[in-house]
Amino acid sequence: MMAPLLAIEDLSIAYQLGDGRDAEAISGFSLHLERGRIVGIVGQSGAGKSTIGKAILGLMGDNARITGGTIALDGTDITRFSEARFAAIRGKRIGYIYQNPMTALNPVLSIGEQLIEAIEANTTRRGGDARAYAVELLKSAEVTHAEERLAKYPHQLSGGLCQRIVFAIAIAAQPDLIIADEPTTALDVTVQKAVLATLKKLAREKQISIVLITHDMGVVAQMCDGVSVLWRGRLVEHGPTAQVIGAPRERYTRDLMAAIPTVDHKRARFDVLDSFEDTPGRRRGIAFLKSGIAAGRDGQSLLSIRNLSKTFDAQGGRGTSGGFRALDGVAFEVFAGETLGIVGESGSGKSTIGRAILGLVEPDAGASIAFQGRPIAEMRGRRDRVALSRSLQCIFQDPYSSLNPRMNAGTNITYGIVAQGLVSRAEAKVLAQDLLEVVGLPRAAAGKMPHAFSGGERQRIGIARALAFRPELIFCDEPTSALDVTVQAEILNLMKELQETLGLTLVFVSHDLAVVRQMCDRVIVMRAGRMVEEGNADEVLTAPRETYTRDLLAAMPRIAFEDA
Amino acid sequence: MAEADHGHRCGRTDETMTNFILRRLGQSIILLLIMSVLVFAGMYVISDPVAVMAGEDATEADRQALARSFGLDQPLPIQYLTFLGKIVQGDFGTSFVYGRPVLALIFERLPATLEVVFLAILVGLAVGIPLGIYSGLNRKKAPTKVISFGTTVGYSIPNFWQALLFILVFAVWLRVLPASGRGPTTEIFGVGWSVFNAEGLRYVILPAANLAVALICMQTRLARSGTQEVMYQDYMMFARAKGIARSRLIGRHLLRNILIPIVTITGLELGTLIAFSTVTETVFSWPGIGKLLLDSIYRSDRPVVVAYMILATLMFVLINLVADIIYAILDPRIRYS
């Protein structure tokens, strides 16, 4: 029997910490990959997936080292390779596809140069021959207008195109193996589907094996022959994809599967542990919120948007009628007590709607945005502005940059309401602690700085900050898209919990139809600045009327759940 | 097909360099106009030139005659326009001290300054960038610590004291280089340069080295911090994963990115050095324009000072324009936005 192309045996990797101690990142990981097969490595962020990928390429940082085990490529152990020997196999025998195509390409060098240098480094083709081959590669990676793209720079191309160019670079020397580290995480679903199909096609045509590193079980289901589940640096479970997804043996894999939202059916809660204890502080916090968030007005129109358009001037395009129409005649209402979802791909204008509501962009003339019956364009006085900003709050996408890093968690939560004079400084301290308990964090968390928290915990702090204003409406801009699926499940559970307890009104923007299905009562589907479809979330997401919505749904990577 | 559409949206890639340069030139003219107003105000409004020129025992009639002969009896806006009109025609007036056209005076001294400054800048870039890249790549090695210490010291030494030290060591103790003055010059395109003959070059070395020390330190620091930042970018790891040679990784992927801030700072530094190397030129008795400026301030030779300020502004504007053009060549994100 022939040896597998890649055989990882009992691999352990440790990172050296600042104080000289080692922290084990990977322990006892094994993996076998035959030629022409695709294997997935899944797990949460921090599980060590990328570390394994980098170890195969010898790209780990200076502070990481392999403490045990072997990585054999065609029978040769590469763990002791020098930088020079690694350089000889990188690009030639092992290709690499990086997570974010927009940052994988050098911003100041042209696409052509970056592709041709890879060709010249790893093949015998030179000059005009290398250039012709570059065009050929781009075509096989399904890049349109291949010839013209060579002269472009990364920022001029979309994420999907950049990723196809990264593919072309990775396959340039016809390697035996490609390490694909989250190849589609940064892309829209429809683009993701096409890009994955291209990757699979290339692998099949050129008999390339792929190690696909991902957090997305849907991608695994679509792509992989086998899958290894990683948790905190340890291999939890591995086997054929259908078996691991369909009948997971291990507790962790089952939890991981349970945390995945599906668009096909709505669940009351995700099956993950929530840590709400009924403490006096939490009760006090909820009472505070309830007394301010006017409940019992269900069904009343809270926000009314008519004829909302927004044209961004094309730069340098003076005198032309051009300009980019980000929003085109958008109109909808938000009723008190409901959750309205806005879905669409990037560039569809969903975030611009939010910015217009929050007053961060000036809509085109003729638009009307009315809050509680009053046009917000008329609310110009300081008192009106303060009242409006109290009533409209926002939960942001990126939990890492949306908290002030120089304030502790408690101050982050209350500085806004203190500045507006809604509570006194003395009250704020206790209130912050109460609110932390409301969102499932301990009271002691108030004194810690943002960097001491995980992404999920920070997002809880962000939610507490928005709640502190006791707003009439909370605008949630992709609140879970930066989070792991299990953390996402926890946050969604928390938001559902608060929604029910407090009768919140939410506008929930997301590119993820499954998340929207779990959270929303009604949904608006956006495409290129226009509303394509609007209606009851259950209907729109299970029996869409419009082709575009159907395409979006079809593009979602799906997992066949036995109970679905 | 969202992907294909995107490509067309960015189809306006021919928003050309010419456009960019024209736009910048337009802005530069506005800046020059503002500067001319400031200099004019400084010269004619804040103090009374008639009083200075006429002396204390002049009669009222003398003063009026003097004012009329210099056009100072005209309303201010008319005076400003006359002043501006003369400058546009290249007439910056005549030096009180030398009795010669100011412009000729400045251009006569300019080559001496230029050769010292450009030599210093070249040395600064040629030494500083490699040192900076080396120490950025090898943070923990011993030479890096030496470089780091050296740049801190070099940057902190006062310029005049360092110049005296140079004279003491190389001219007085070792007696290998001349201490002051400019050596013999070689005529090229009708201008005398001393860097192009061996004897003249010996005179240039000390003043140029005096300017170069700070430049080397600055370029080293810029290149080092740039390297440390760029090396951690995803595209550098991806470039390594492509299997390209290390020389290409450093010489192309890294260098192109770290040059962007270096170009900006070098441009600013170049202007400052040309216009205001007064300390170095004074200590080494180097007959450049910095020394001319200092002498003219001492002797209240105001036409020279005023012309100097306007020309310095013009030079800063042009250097900035060139720096911006290089910047745009280096960074396509600027070029195509």
Side-chain angles (χ1 to χ4, degrees), chain B residues 288-299:
Chain B
I289 54 173
K291 194 160 180 310
L292 173 69
L293 174 67
L294 209 61
D295 294 345
S296 302
I297 292 172
Y298 274 132
R299 300 175 192 170

Side-chain angles (χ1 to χ4, degrees), chain A residues 3-205:
Chain A
L5 174 70
L6 180 72
I8 302 177
E9 301 289 353
D10 205 21
L11 181 70
S12 297
I13 299 171
Y15 282 95
Q16 193 171 31
L17 299 175
D19 56 9
R21 283 180 304 132
D22 277 357
E24 192 143 77
I26 299 292
S27 47
F29 179 81
S30 298
L31 178 96
H32 286 229
L33 176 60
E34 312 291 334
R35 263 167 215 284
R37 310 276 283 178
I38 302 177
V39 66
I41 300 179
V42 294
Q44 288 174 245
S45 58
K49 311 183 293 284
S50 295
T51 306
I52 294 173
K54 285 178 188 160
I56 299 171
L57 283 152
L59 288 176
M60 293 187 301
D62 298 335
N63 56 345
R65 78 199 152 82
I66 292 172
T67 51
T70 56
I71 302 172
L73 185 69
D74 254 343
T76 312
D77 181 16
I78 60 174
T79 51
R80 302 275 173 271
F81 266 26
S82 63
E83 176 70 18
R85 291 189 75 188
F86 263 123
I89 59 169
R90 283 183 207 139
K92 288 186 196 64
R93 302 210 50 208
I94 309 178
Y96 188 47
I97 293 172
Y98 188 69
Q99 184 164 10
N100 187 347
M102 306 303 274
T103 59
L105 296 171
N106 194 321
V108 301
L109 302 180
S110 72
I111 300 298
E113 179 174 351
Q114 298 191 54
L115 180 51
I116 290 167
E117 71 176 0
I119 294 170
E120 295 194 335
N122 300 312
T123 70
T124 53
R125 295 170 203 267
R126 295 288 177 275
D129 195 18
R131 195 185 158 83
Y133 182 54
V135 174
E136 191 187 311
L137 280 174
L138 288 180
K139 282 182 181 154
S140 69
E142 288 160 1
V143 172
T144 51
H145 310 284
E147 189 86 45
E148 299 167 29
R149 306 289 187 199
L150 292 181
K152 303 276 185 199
Y153 291 88
H155 75 280
Q156 296 174 297
L157 305 176
S158 66
L161 268 174
C162 284
Q163 196 59 300
R164 287 166 189 280
I165 287 154
V166 167
F167 288 180
I169 291 171
I171 60 165
Q174 308 241 5
D176 301 314
L177 174 66
I178 284 179
I179 311 294
D181 191 349
E182 303 269 11
T184 55
T185 307
L187 307 176
D188 277 324
V189 274
T190 50
V191 181
Q192 165 173 314
K193 192 185 185 191
V195 163
L196 286 176
T198 306
L199 185 58
K200 201 163 181 174
K201 183 199 85 164
L202 292 172
R204 291 278 178 267
E205 276 175 9

Side-chain angles (χ1 to χ4, degrees), chain A residues 193-521:
Chain A
K193 192 185 185 191
V195 163
L196 286 176
T198 306
L199 185 58
K200 201 163 181 174
K201 183 199 85 164
L202 292 172
R204 291 278 178 267
E205 276 175 9
K206 315 219 186 261
Q207 275 293 299
I208 299 172
S209 307
I210 297 178
V211 174
L212 182 69
I213 295 163
T214 182
H215 68 281
D216 190 336
M217 277 291 188
V219 170
V220 169
Q222 187 186 335
M223 295 287 290
C224 298
D225 303 305
V227 57
S228 297
V229 181
L230 202 63
W231 183 63
R232 296 193 181 166
R234 292 175 186 278
L235 183 63
V236 174
E237 183 164 4
H238 72 105
T241 306
Q243 181 247 304
V244 173
I245 287 179
R249 276 195 291 263
E250 298 297 322
R251 168 75 211 276
Y252 174 71
T253 318
R254 281 200 297 273
D255 280 358
L256 194 62
M257 300 303 294
I260 300 170
T262 61
V263 76
D264 300 311
H265 70 294
K266 184 168 182 169
R267 288 189 261 185
R269 289 287 190 281
F270 291 95
D271 196 7
V272 291
L273 234 59
D274 289 319
S275 49
F276 299 124
E277 282 174 58
D278 191 20
T279 59
R282 184 159 207 272
R283 253 176 288 160
R284 209 160 49 226
I286 287 183
F288 166 80
L289 296 174
K290 267 191 171 160
S291 67
I293 298 169
R297 295 180 294 104
D298 280 12
Q300 191 185 330
S301 170
L302 200 56
L303 182 71
S304 164
I305 291 178
R306 295 274 163 271
N307 192 28
L308 175 62
S309 297
K310 175 67 195 172
T311 312
F312 288 104
D313 293 334
Q315 270 192 339
R318 216 169 295 158
T320 59
S321 62
F324 173 60
R325 198 121 217 227
L327 289 178
D328 193 356
V330 171
F332 61 87
E333 307 243 338
V334 182
F335 300 100
E338 74 165 351
T339 299
L340 174 73
I342 302 178
V343 294
E345 299 187 89
S346 49
S348 62
K350 53 189 192 308
S351 296
T352 312
I353 295 178
R355 289 194 199 137
I357 296 171
L358 296 169
L360 302 175
V361 299
E362 186 76 17
D364 292 351
S368 120
I369 301 174
F371 187 71
Q372 292 177 321
R374 283 190 65 195
I376 60 170
E378 288 173 14
M379 300 166 80
R380 293 214 180 273
R382 189 179 142 70
R383 277 185 58 190
D384 278 347
R385 279 281 153 202
V386 167
L388 189 65
S389 71
R390 188 204 63 76
S391 309
L392 285 176
Q393 278 297 308
C394 193
I395 297 170
F396 298 93
Q397 173 169 12
D398 182 1
Y400 291 91
S401 60
S402 57
L403 296 179
N404 187 329
R406 305 207 185 280
M407 292 180 183
N408 66 30
T411 317
N412 257 300
I413 291 171
T414 50
Y415 75 85
I417 50 174
V418 171
Q420 290 203 0
L422 300 175
V423 294
S424 74
R425 217 168 272 278
E427 292 165 324
K429 209 165 175 186
V430 178
L431 179 63
Q433 293 173 343
D434 292 348
L435 291 176
L436 281 167
E437 285 198 88
V438 169
V439 296
L441 291 172
R443 298 182 80 80
K448 291 202 265 179
M449 302 303 279
H451 67 81
F453 296 96
S454 69
E457 289 169 332
R458 287 181 209 206
Q459 200 58 300
R460 288 174 192 264
I461 296 168
I463 292 170
R465 176 177 59 185
L467 288 174
F469 286 86
R470 297 189 282 186
E472 316 295 328
L473 188 146
I474 303 180
F475 186 84
C476 313
D477 190 1
E478 302 261 15
T480 60
S481 65
L483 305 175
D484 274 319
V485 63
T486 48
V487 180
Q488 165 172 291
E490 291 169 11
I491 296 291
L492 293 181
N493 273 0
L494 168 67
M495 292 179 76
K496 278 163 173 265
E497 168 83 24
L498 296 169
Q499 211 176 4
E500 282 166 21
T501 324
L502 303 170
L504 299 176
T505 311
L506 304 178
V507 174
F508 195 99
V509 169
S510 179
H511 69 284
D512 190 332
L513 300 173
V515 168
V516 167
R517 178 74 206 278
Q518 300 309 314
M519 291 302 296
C520 300
D521 306 310

Side-chain angles (χ1 to χ4, degrees), chain B residues 120 150-151 153-155 157 162 166 208-218:
Chain B
T151 54
V153 172
Y155 213 65
I157 293 179
Q162 177 186 284
F166 276 175
N210 194 46
L211 295 179
V213 168
L215 286 169
I216 291 172
C217 296
M218 189 185 62

Side-chain angles (χ1 to χ4, degrees), chain B residues 227-247:
Chain B
T227 302
Q228 282 172 0
E229 197 189 310
V230 171
M231 280 312 280
Y232 287 102
Q233 298 294 315
D234 293 340
Y235 54 77
M236 293 304 286
M237 188 174 65
F238 185 71
R240 272 175 77 200
K242 287 200 290 194
I244 59 171
R246 189 166 169 83
S247 57

